[in-house]
Amino acid sequence: MTFFSLSFGSDSQHVATVTNPLPAAFSDLLPHFLVEPDDVYIVKNKPVTLTCRSTPATQIYFKCNGEWVHQDDHLIERTVDPATGLPVMQVTIDISRQQVEKIFGLEDYWCQCVAWSTTGTQKSQKAYVRIAYLRKNFEEEPLGKEVALDEEVLLRCHPPEGVPMAEVEWLKNEEVIEPSSDPNYHVTPDHNLIIKQARLADTGNYTCVAKNIVARRRSSSASVTVYVNGGWSTWTGWSACSATCGRGWQKRTRSCTNPTPLNGGTSCEGQSVQKSACTATCPVDGGWSEWSKWSACGADCMAWRSRECTQPVPGTGGRDCQGLDLQSQNCTSELCPQTASGPEDVALYVGIVAVALCLLLLLIVVVLVYRRKKEGLDADVADSSILTTGFQPVGIKPTKPENSHLLTIQPDLTTTTSTYQGSLQSRHELTGKFSVTNGPLLDPLPNGSHTLHNGKLPSDPTEFMNRLSAQSYFKTLPRDTANTSYGTFNFLGGRLTIPNTGVSLLIPPEAIPRGKIYEIYLTVQRKEDVRLPLAGCQTLLSPIVSCGPPGVVLTRPVILSMDHCSDANPDNWAIRLKKQSYEGTWEDVLQVGEELPSDPYYCQLESETCRIFTEQLGRFALVGESLSMAAAKRLKLVLFAPVYCTTLDYSIRVYCMDDTQDVLKEVMQMEKQLGGRLIDEPQVLLFKDSYHNLRLSIHDMPRAHWRSKLLAAYQEIPFYHIWSGSQRSLHCTFTLERLSLSTCELTCQLCVWQVEGEGQSFSIDINIAKDSRPLDSDFLVLDNSAPALAGPSAFQIPYLIRQKICSSLDAPCPHGADWRLLAQRLKLERHLSFFASKASPTSVILDLWEAQHFHSGNLNQLAAVMAEIGKQEAMIFLVTDGEC
């Protein structure tokens, strides 16, 4: 065996000498490598070992980065392969971190081993030696998400830079995700996690973990929330009708449980309750038929008769007939041998019949006497003294002034007990309208003539109300005169108005019979003084108004006008007019939209006002019943604050009240007593029948100068307190505190809204020291009209012109130019059937026009309408029947 020796010089050249030659049989073989060096990584400061094994080889040496490794750095091990007998040589070297770092950044550090034999040399593959590391910060971390059920979720992860490249795994709630066991998870080649269809169970914290031989890094956890949006269940069946008899309502419900919203999912949109009008069949109580004829007298001296419960037959839960259906009595006849009729029995029967006839005649006489007295009483009473016991009947005997064409019909003087000694003036002699104030019932006219009095000096307002309230029916009338008007009227009619309440009573000409004089009153009741029972979804929509005295005879309807606060949508409401009876009970007298022309009451519902035609005076109120949750009441929102503030505390009062003028007037009067002032323009809010409360909150105050003493984020008024309408002046108070007395400027936002409904906001910007706006001049239109007007002064249309319009349009016209066209032009065609039921349809139309246009009436506009109809000859209104 021959051996070689290598010498290493400074020029890196070597000389091989054979020190241990191979056997001749193997001398022609080139060495081949049994083990070649592999790529390795230096972890921290630990050196790495490279190994090379070859056969047959005489020498093996490593060469790193083009330079031979020193012979002393090699560890050589020689063996013989027992199978082939060839010599095997293995060489190992250690590489330190310092060796690699010397050339770090220039190129990769590599090593290669070279094996010799007698035939030649062989080189192994290069093995790269690198320093292993893993940086701390992820290049991209996963972000938390909220996703809907079944939605795809993508969580991104870009691991930190490292050598060798880091491996990535995902954790959910600290447990390793295995996509192989759960196919709903998928990890992409670039390490992102995909949840194919989000499930509720996929809600959790997800962490991206990067690791290599050096370290293990964790990303920040990403919270994934899988939410479920709510879905409606199916509707339940309709409930039983709320009324056991007649019109009522029924409802059905559904719940947001299909599915139930989870993890912040949206609630269901829409209504959970639906209401519908219904009509329940009224129960029918059974009624007896007539008794049958008595049966023949039996041998037992008994006769029988029967009846049946068939008139009507009980139904729909009605009660059965009460009493016996079979009746018997003793009898005598030839078939009953035990008894026989004698002369004394005949006399008894004759006596009974005679007594019955006498009683019947006496009853007839009493009825005739009563009716005769009643007719005499009606003829003698010319005003309301029969009810108030405070006035004497009056007759009128006017003198006949020249040109007095307005009063050409003489009143009935047959029943007068006193006479009027002054004179009545025609409209042409009046320089202006005269008013009936709440002082004397009718003041003297400017030209010295006198108006009608009841034969004595008129009483003052307080005495008048006290006299009325002394009567049993009028005990609930308010004793103050602020909300009451009254006056004396005859056949010329007139008007009563309660200023700033929207309440008025129009008494058309000829409504009071000729020869009669009535003293009539009009008042707005305080809700706390009158109890109006409400049921179910009912709510009070108007003030409670009394006009009277009840029982006076009217020959045509008067018109009572008052505000209402409904949204006036007939699809959402069933609105009824209620009237209080003499016994104090409230009765439905009509349902708006279902009036019959023959009814004694009729109602026109406008956007904010209702006009009630009635021939019977009394106490009235408008009540609404919501038919759906879309029904809404108009609320007026009004803000008040103190006129003067000398302390650190400052209060803002927010009133939420029905949008009617009478309630606003009441609040204004109350605030005037409290020393309050309006601080912003009132606003209107539609408050729906959704069972949700009203919330109020204040925001955006300058916290450097003001703070709120309210502990909660908002104040709340319960739904039923508002919907019932029985509490007139609901309000919330926000108490604010200024941090210094020198602070005078206040700016903030005040919000009022219904939960899941509409809202309004007020932008407040005031100076609490300098702002001296009057209580009502900026925002209220004051009604300065006289409380009472009598005769022609109460009407826009002169009396004679009115008569000519009626005579021209009442008669049917072949070309259609009659009262029907007038109603159409005035947008009143919905009431044609009502107008047609009256003796003079035109007069009723003009009455309604007068009620609507008392403050804004323009005769020129009415003249233009008449011109459109074709009644414009001469002086527009002076038309004749022949022009048709």
Side-chain angles (χ1 to χ4, degrees):
M1 183 176 289
T2 302
F3 295 93
F4 294 87
S5 175
L6 291 178
S7 299
F8 298 92
S10 59
D11 58 355
S12 300
Q13 300 295 321
H14 66 274
V15 178
T17 60
V18 179
T19 60
N20 191 16
L22 292 170
F26 306 109
S27 59
D28 59 343
L29 296 176
L30 287 174
H32 69 277
F33 289 98
L34 300 176
V35 176
E36 295 183 81
D38 293 323
D39 295 343
V40 289
Y41 297 94
I42 296 176
V43 179
K44 299 182 179 178
N45 292 319
K46 296 179 181 180
V48 295
T49 300
L50 297 180
T51 301
C52 189
R53 182 187 299 170
S54 177
T55 185
T58 57
Q59 291 291 334
I60 301 177
Y61 290 96
F62 276 93
K63 192 176 187 178
C64 293
N65 277 65
E67 295 183 359
W68 293 101
V69 178
H70 195 276
Q71 184 176 0
D72 294 340
D73 296 332
H74 291 72
L75 179 62
I76 302 174
E77 181 182 351
R78 300 177 186 273
T79 59
V80 175
D81 188 349
T84 60
L86 291 175
V88 177
M89 181 179 287
Q90 178 176 297
V91 178
T92 60
I93 62 173
D94 291 334
I95 306 295
S96 67
R97 184 184 184 99
Q98 290 77 12
Q99 290 174 269
V100 177
E101 286 179 342
K102 285 180 181 180
I103 62 166
F104 184 75
L106 300 177
E107 59 182 5
D108 288 338
Y109 191 94
W110 58 270
C111 291
Q112 185 180 37
C113 63
V114 181
W116 281 268
S117 70
T118 55
T119 306
T121 63
Q122 287 285 2
K123 294 181 180 181
S124 70
Q125 65 181 6
K126 287 183 179 181
Y128 290 91
V129 181
R130 300 180 176 91
I131 298 175
Y133 67 91
L134 183 62
R135 300 195 184 279
K136 293 184 178 180
N137 296 326
F138 280 73
E139 296 186 14
E140 184 177 9
E141 292 187 293
L143 300 176
K145 293 185 176 182
E146 293 183 353
V147 296
L149 189 69
D150 295 330
E151 186 178 330
E152 183 181 270
V153 184
L154 173 62
L155 298 176
R156 297 183 178 276
C157 178
H158 195 167
E161 179 186 352
V163 174
M165 183 179 293
E167 297 178 355
V168 173
E169 65 180 7
W170 284 87
L171 304 180
K172 175 196 169 187
N173 299 334
E174 303 303 322
E175 294 185 1
V176 178
I177 294 176
E178 296 290 349
S180 58
S181 60
D182 189 346
N184 197 42
Y185 293 110
H186 173 65
V187 179
T188 64
D190 52 354
H191 312 302
N192 296 330
L193 176 65
I194 295 177
I195 304 176
K196 298 177 182 178
Q197 285 185 313
R199 304 160 296 190
L200 288 175
D202 293 328
T203 298
N205 295 319
Y206 289 80
T207 308
C208 180
V209 178
K211 61 182 179 179
N212 63 7
I213 59 176
V214 179
R216 188 172 186 265
R217 310 290 187 205
R218 292 168 57 97
S219 71
S220 59
S221 293
S223 176
V224 174
T225 301
V226 181
Y227 61 83
V228 179
N229 293 327
W232 288 114
S233 65
T234 56
W235 287 103
T236 62
W238 289 101
S239 66
C241 194
S242 63
T244 57
C245 177
R247 188 179 179 86
W249 58 270
Q250 57 184 169
K251 68 178 181 178
R252 63 177 183 173
T253 60
R254 58 179 177 175
S255 58
C256 191
T257 56
N258 188 29
T260 302
L262 293 174
N263 298 334
T266 58
S267 297
C268 303
E269 295 183 358
Q271 300 176 353
S272 61
V273 180
Q274 274 189 349
K275 294 181 181 178
S276 175
C278 59
T279 301
T281 304
C282 297
V284 179
D285 294 337
W288 289 112
S289 64
E290 295 292 330
W291 285 102
S292 65
K293 293 182 179 180
W294 287 101
S295 65
C297 192
D300 56 354
C301 297
M302 298 293 291
W304 301 85
R305 66 175 181 175
S306 64
R307 58 180 178 175
E308 296 179 349
C309 190
T310 58
Q311 292 188 2
V313 176
T316 324
R319 293 176 298 182
D320 289 332
C321 300
Q322 303 297 315
L324 300 175
D325 60 350
L326 191 63
Q327 197 176 55
S328 63
Q329 71 173 9
N330 290 327
C331 62
T332 58
S333 72
E334 65 279 1
L335 298 180
C336 182
Q338 290 87 348
T339 61
S341 299
E344 62 277 8
D345 294 332
V346 176
L348 175 64
Y349 296 149
V350 171
I352 292 174
V353 172
V355 171
L357 290 175
C358 291
L359 291 176
L360 179 61
L361 291 174
L362 180 61
L363 180 61
I364 293 173
V365 171
V366 170
V367 171
L368 291 176
V369 171
Y370 173 76
R371 292 185 60 182
R372 187 177 188 85
K373 288 186 176 181
K374 185 175 182 301
E375 290 174 359
L377 183 62
D378 289 342
D380 290 338
V381 176
D383 62 5
S384 59
S385 60
I386 190 172
L387 296 172
T388 63
T389 69
F391 310 103
Q392 297 299 322
V394 177
I396 306 174
K397 187 175 181 181
T399 59
K400 186 174 182 180
E402 293 182 4
N403 300 324
S404 182
H405 58 277
L406 190 60
L407 300 175
T408 57
I409 302 176
Q410 296 297 324
D412 182 8
L413 304 179
T414 58
T415 62
T416 58
T417 59
S418 63
T419 58
Y420 173 71
Q421 301 301 327
S423 62
L424 290 176
Q425 303 297 317
S426 69
R427 183 180 179 89
H428 300 290
E429 295 176 355
L430 299 179
T431 58
K433 292 186 177 181
F434 59 91
S435 64
V436 182
T437 65
N438 283 346
L441 295 184
L442 286 169
D443 292 334
L445 294 176
N447 58 9
S449 58
H450 293 79
T451 57
L452 301 172
H453 290 292
N454 281 335
K456 63 177 182 178
L457 292 175
S459 59
D460 59 73
T462 303
E463 182 184 351
F464 175 79
M465 295 310 301
N466 289 338
R467 283 192 289 110
L468 273 183
S469 300
Q471 307 302 314
S472 59
Y473 180 78
F474 308 105
K475 286 182 179 179
T476 57
L477 287 178
R479 292 182 179 271
D480 60 61
T481 58
N483 289 324
T484 302
S485 297
Y486 59 91
T488 305
F489 304 95
N490 64 0
F491 76 96
L492 293 175
R495 184 190 306 266
L496 288 175
T497 303
I498 304 178
N500 303 316
T501 63
V503 177
S504 65
L505 180 68
L506 181 76
I507 306 168
E510 308 293 344
I512 297 175
R514 291 175 178 262
K516 303 285 186 180
I517 300 176
Y518 293 154
E519 192 166 21
I520 296 178
Y521 66 84
L522 177 68
T523 184
V524 176
Q525 303 282 163
R526 292 182 177 273
K527 293 185 180 178
E528 55 268 23
D529 295 337
V530 178
R531 183 179 180 275
L532 176 63
L534 300 174
C537 300
Q538 291 183 340
T539 178
L540 185 61
L541 297 177
S542 74
I544 301 175
V545 178
S546 295
C547 56
V552 296
V553 177
L554 299 174
T555 58
R556 52 181 303 183
V558 297
I559 301 179
L560 176 63
S561 300
M562 56 186 178
D563 289 351
H564 70 84
C565 61
S566 77
D567 60 3
N569 187 337
D571 296 333
N572 299 333
W573 290 96
I575 299 178
R576 295 178 174 87
L577 178 67
K578 285 184 175 286
K579 182 176 182 291
Q580 191 175 29
S581 67
Y582 289 100
E583 293 78 15
T585 59
W586 287 89
E587 303 170 345
D588 294 341
V589 293
L590 72 82
Q591 179 165 334
V592 176
E594 298 183 4
E595 306 93 335
L596 296 176
S598 58
D599 292 342
Y601 306 96
Y602 194 84
C603 180
Q604 172 176 306
L605 192 69
E606 301 169 7
S607 60
E608 298 180 0
T609 308
C610 66
R611 317 279 181 188
I612 300 169
F613 294 80
T614 175
E615 297 181 13
Q616 299 176 12
L617 303 184
R619 184 169 296 155
F620 298 94
L622 206 63
V623 172
E625 182 177 3
S626 63
L627 300 180
S628 73
M629 297 179 73
K633 292 177 63 174
R634 297 191 322 274
L635 296 185
K636 177 144 293 186
L637 310 176
V638 192
L639 272 60
F640 288 92
V643 174
Y644 304 105
C645 181
T646 57
T647 64
L648 294 177
D649 287 348
Y650 188 75
S651 297
I652 297 177
R653 292 181 291 276
V654 186
Y655 288 85
C656 308
M657 53 194 175
D658 292 347
D659 184 20
T660 57
Q661 296 180 54
D662 66 298
V663 184
L664 181 60
K665 175 184 178 181
E666 181 179 324
V667 170
M668 298 294 288
Q669 291 173 341
M670 181 171 61
E671 279 294 329
K672 191 171 184 178
Q673 296 175 355
L674 295 175
R677 62 171 179 184
L678 279 168
I679 60 173
D680 204 349
E681 185 172 357
Q683 297 191 32
V684 174
L685 172 71
L686 289 179
F687 188 78
K688 294 187 176 180
D689 182 18
S690 62
Y691 302 105
H692 291 299
N693 297 340
L694 192 71
R695 289 183 178 176
L696 304 92
S697 60
I698 195 165
H699 310 275
D700 302 336
M701 282 190 305
R703 300 191 179 278
H705 304 288
W706 293 86
R707 73 179 184 91
S708 172
K709 288 190 172 183
L710 184 67
L711 299 179
Y714 55 82
Q715 298 190 65
E716 198 164 66
I717 301 178
F719 168 82
Y720 286 104
H721 287 187
I722 298 175
W723 192 255
S724 67
S726 58
Q727 303 186 43
R728 294 171 67 86
S729 53
L730 285 172
H731 70 278
C732 287
T733 300
F734 289 91
T735 302
L736 312 180
E737 182 182 19
R738 47 180 173 167
L739 304 183
S740 170
L741 285 174
S742 60
T743 300
C744 295
E745 296 291 337
L746 173 60
T747 58
C748 60
Q749 288 279 337
L750 200 151
C751 301
V752 184
W753 75 101
Q754 186 180 15
V755 180
E756 298 187 12
E758 292 190 3
Q760 293 285 8
S761 64
F762 297 85
S763 297
I764 300 175
D765 185 2
I766 59 173
N767 185 310
I768 66 174
K770 297 179 181 179
D771 194 351
S772 58
R773 285 177 289 181
L775 180 66
D776 50 20
S777 61
D778 289 346
F779 309 121
L780 298 180
V781 179
L782 297 181
D783 182 4
N784 295 318
S785 59
L789 293 172
S793 61
F795 303 98
Q796 296 281 340
I797 307 171
Y799 186 78
L800 286 180
I801 292 180
R802 174 192 177 92
Q803 288 183 322
K804 292 181 179 180
I805 296 176
C806 294
S807 62
S808 172
L809 298 182
D810 277 345
C813 181
H815 304 292
D818 54 18
W819 63 269
R820 287 166 293 190
L821 188 56
L822 176 63
Q824 182 180 353
R825 291 289 190 269
L826 296 178
K827 296 180 170 47
L828 301 174
E829 59 271 15
R830 190 177 76 85
H831 311 294
L832 288 179
S833 59
F834 171 70
F835 298 145
S837 67
K838 303 304 175 184
S840 174
T842 309
S843 65
V844 181
I845 295 173
L846 296 181
D847 292 343
L848 183 54
W849 186 89
E850 290 276 6
Q852 292 174 322
H853 299 89
F854 176 56
H855 296 291
S856 59
N858 188 338
L859 284 179
N860 291 332
Q861 295 177 351
L862 187 60
V865 171
M866 295 297 296
E868 292 178 7
I869 296 176
K871 305 295 183 178
Q872 55 185 342
E873 294 80 358
M875 297 180 64
I876 298 177
F877 295 111
L878 302 180
V879 295
T880 64
D881 295 338
E883 292 177 355
C884 288

